[in-house]
Amino acid sequence: MSNILVLNGSARVDAFTAAMIKSFRKGAEKGGNTVRVLELSRLHIHSCIGCLKGGKDRAHPCVQRDDMDIVYEEFRKADTIVFATPLFFWDYSGLLKNVIDRLWALAEYERSELIGKGRGGALLVAAGGSHPELIYGHFDYMMKRLAWKNLGKAAMLHTDDMDMKDIPECEEARALGEAVCQTDSVQY
Ligand SMILES: Cc1cc2nc3c(=O)[nH]c(=O)nc-3n(C[C@H](O)[C@H](O)[C@H](O)COP(=O)(O)O)c2cc1C
């Protein structure tokens, strides 16, 4: 069983990314996994200032003091991280990209806090159009460089043509959630 942290990079809490998370969660909880969702739009997280001077204090890995400390705490408890994002300019939303950049401070404290350690990652993308290829490529490369298990990706496409009041179940996201249950548990 996995301890799953979902980082929701959508500012619209009831829209398509949120619907994908709901479907993913249904699948993941079926197998007894624990799922915690952080709504990044409700947190105050600054962008990385690129100082490369983090990692001096375990409680506050980054030199900036903001709600990123909440993310660090939840991240440390999780063995599976789900990056959930609207597709913005064929990429992660700014909300999520800020958080990804700021995770680097964990590696500055201790490399294994971020790299490897048997972690798994998954990607959920809600896209107004039909081209998630670039973010898929980035995600695959990120999993490789972080030495995490790539648990897979799911997309809901053409959301701009859909009715926000009648969002269908995302079967791909639910199946991805179910597949996480079948993943070997993380060895620390
Ligand atoms: C600033 C901005 C950039 C966007 N860029 C893209 C894009 O590159 N490709 C695409 O397919 N949709 C794009 N969209 C549409 C969103 O991906 C789509 O509306 C998605 O459902 C938003 O996620 P949400 O429903 O969780 O808010 C963009 C929307 C915004 C507001």
Side-chain angles (χ1 to χ4, degrees), residues 101-118:
D101 292 344
R102 297 277 304 276
L103 288 177
W104 183 248
L106 286 168
E108 288 182 311
Y109 177 76
E110 190 183 297
R111 198 178 151 76
S112 71
E113 285 238 273
L114 182 66
I115 316 292
K117 218 178 179 181

Side-chain angles (χ1 to χ4, degrees), residues 10 12 15-17 86-90 126-129 159-160:
S10 173
R12 300 196 296 180
F16 298 97
T17 308
L87 192 66
F88 281 178
F89 281 81
W90 309 279
T159 61
D160 288 351

Side-chain angles (χ1 to χ4, degrees), residues 18 34 44-45 59 66 76-77 91-92 101 114 116 124-125 127 131 141 149 158 164-165 175 181 188:
T34 306
H44 296 284
I45 296 175
D66 56 20
R76 282 174 167 141
K77 287 189 239 162
D91 210 337
Y92 305 92
D101 292 344
L114 182 66
L124 303 178
V125 185
H131 289 287
Y141 191 69
K149 184 167 183 179
H158 300 291
M164 252 181 72
K165 292 191 198 80
C181 314
Y188 286 97

Side-chain angles (χ1 to χ4, degrees), residues 1-60:
M1 279 184 297
S2 276
N3 205 347
I4 302 170
L5 172 65
V6 181
L7 300 171
N8 183 5
S10 173
R12 300 196 296 180
V13 290
D14 292 323
F16 298 97
T17 308
M20 292 189 76
I21 293 170
K22 213 165 137 190
S23 296
F24 174 90
R25 178 172 217 155
K26 215 182 276 180
E29 286 182 341
K30 211 168 118 186
N33 298 293
T34 306
V35 181
R36 168 110 165 89
V37 181
L38 278 183
E39 304 291 349
L40 302 183
S41 63
R42 296 199 167 124
L43 301 178
H44 296 284
I45 296 175
H46 298 108
S47 55
C48 175
I49 56 172
C51 66
L52 297 174
K53 289 187 168 63
K56 295 187 173 61
D57 177 355
R58 190 177 190 280
H60 308 283

